[in-house]
Amino acid sequence: MSIERRNADGFALQVMLGLCLIWGVQQVMIKWAAADIAPVMQAAARSGISALLVALLMCWKGGWSQIPGTWRAGLLAGALFGLEFLFIAEGLKLTSAAHMSVFLYTAPIFTALGVNWLLPSERLRPLQWLGIVLAFIGISIAFAGGISLDNLDWRMLLGDLLGLLAGLAWGATTVVVRASRLSEAPATLTLFYQLIVGFVGLLLIAVLSGQVTQVSLTPVAVASVLFQGLVVSFFSYLTWFWLLRRYLAANLAVFSFMTPMFGVTFGVLLLGEPLSLNFVLGAMLVLLGITFVSAEQWLRRRIRRWL
């Protein structure tokens, strides 16, 4: 029997506010602790901690029985998940946490394009295509450093590009889940695949690149890894899946756009990161575009009521 999902209420808004705060501060924590522990090692450690916790949860609640029919898609989703955090880790060495927060959350754009191609039942509608156009215009403006090439910060530009690639990898992960048997598997199994494959891949990269030795167990490093492993990758992701089983996804998507705003705010307030006018304008267009893509049904209902 399918679960009847309802419109978001005050409780859902409060929970989403908390989740967006957690997700928004994530990039800031990684960059804050980067001097003590390499970002790739942070990503590997958080994935390992969360994978262990999810495995214990599955031993209690079940879910292992669906591995035979899902392991191929699970490995692919896990590889893309690991690639996403590799791009985030390397990108944060070059760009600001504020920039990373915005470019990472372009993921819904790439998800929409992917499912439009693979799933005929989810073809993009005109308002969504408009959102995609606005988002890519915003990305172009955010990348621009001015009329003269002399004004461009090439290191930040490369970091921004890695942030965009992280968003692409995240979007591709969602497409793999939606278009495979993982769409019918327990959320804990899907999350476990991503965490365990990401852990192995990221740890291997850290070893091969010598970053495994770039670890100093300072209070900042420990706090960052524990926050990411316990709060972000375990608690917040499972809470998000719990919300998706009870509320309409389009309603929740509207609230989730608070995340990059929190990321930008925390980056400026906690790390003292500067913001250029072109980035602010571009980010606003990106977020507007993402809203059109992810919350199209919700927006259409609101427009009809107004008219």
Side-chain angles (χ1 to χ4, degrees):
M1 183 176 66
S2 61
I3 299 175
E4 183 179 352
R5 292 169 174 81
R6 57 185 184 273
N7 290 316
D9 50 23
F11 173 76
L13 173 59
Q14 293 176 52
V15 175
M16 281 302 302
L17 181 62
L19 291 181
C20 291
L21 278 167
I22 291 170
W23 296 335
V25 80
Q26 178 182 197
Q27 277 66 247
V28 176
M29 292 291 291
I30 295 173
K31 197 168 184 70
W32 182 42
D36 299 320
I37 177 171
V40 169
M41 277 301 299
Q42 291 188 57
R46 62 168 269 173
S47 296
I49 292 171
S50 302
L52 176 60
L53 292 174
V54 172
L56 292 173
L57 182 61
M58 290 176 65
C59 289
W60 175 40
K61 301 190 67 174
W64 298 111
S65 62
Q66 296 198 36
I67 286 181
T70 60
W71 68 269
R72 291 182 180 84
L75 290 179
L76 179 56
L80 288 168
F81 179 84
L83 194 60
E84 172 196 342
F85 279 92
L86 175 62
F87 288 142
I88 292 173
E90 294 303 310
L92 282 172
K93 295 178 182 179
L94 305 170
T95 192
S96 66
H99 281 215
M100 182 60 69
S101 295
V102 171
F103 288 116
L104 175 60
Y105 277 85
T106 57
I109 300 296
F110 297 113
T111 298
L113 290 172
V115 296
N116 178 74
W117 178 47
L118 292 175
L119 302 176
S121 61
E122 298 193 34
R123 296 296 185 191
L124 291 171
R125 288 175 282 274
L127 191 60
Q128 292 176 304
W129 280 115
L130 174 61
I132 288 174
V133 171
L134 288 174
F136 280 106
I137 291 174
I139 290 170
S140 300
I141 294 174
F143 268 117
I147 298 176
S148 172
L149 292 179
D150 294 334
N151 295 327
L152 285 173
D153 183 337
W154 293 103
R155 281 178 55 83
M156 178 166 282
L157 192 64
L158 178 57
D160 290 348
L161 177 60
L162 289 172
L164 190 62
L165 290 175
L168 174 60
W170 183 6
T173 304
T174 305
V175 172
V176 169
V177 172
R178 294 277 295 280
S180 69
R181 292 185 179 180
L182 287 175
S183 62
E184 301 175 0
T188 48
L189 178 60
T190 301
L191 181 57
F192 178 75
Y193 278 131
Q194 295 177 60
L195 293 170
I196 193 64
V197 177
F199 166 67
V200 173
L202 290 166
L203 185 59
L204 180 61
I205 290 171
V207 171
L208 294 177
S209 63
Q211 295 183 72
V212 71
T213 61
Q214 299 176 22
V215 177
S216 179
L217 296 179
T218 63
V220 170
V222 173
S224 177
V225 171
L226 290 179
F227 173 78
Q228 294 176 63
L230 300 177
V231 180
V232 179
S233 295
F234 182 70
F235 171 76
S236 74
Y237 289 174
L238 290 179
T239 301
W240 169 247
F241 288 133
W242 180 83
L243 286 175
L244 286 175
R245 289 178 61 84
R246 287 158 178 79
Y247 296 96
L248 296 173
N251 288 182
L252 298 177
V254 176
F255 298 138
S256 69
F257 301 141
M258 294 184 289
T259 301
M261 294 296 95
F262 283 130
V264 170
T265 302
F266 289 137
V268 172
L269 295 180
L270 300 181
L271 300 178
E273 296 176 343
L275 290 178
S276 62
L277 179 60
N278 63 285
F279 175 74
V280 173
L281 293 176
M284 290 174 64
L285 281 176
V286 169
L287 296 178
L288 181 61
I290 295 172
T291 303
F292 284 175
V293 171
S294 296
E296 186 269 345
Q297 294 182 3
W298 183 85
L299 287 172
R300 274 197 294 117
R301 287 197 296 269
R302 291 298 181 273
I303 291 172
R304 286 173 181 172
R305 289 180 182 177
W306 293 335
L307 297 178

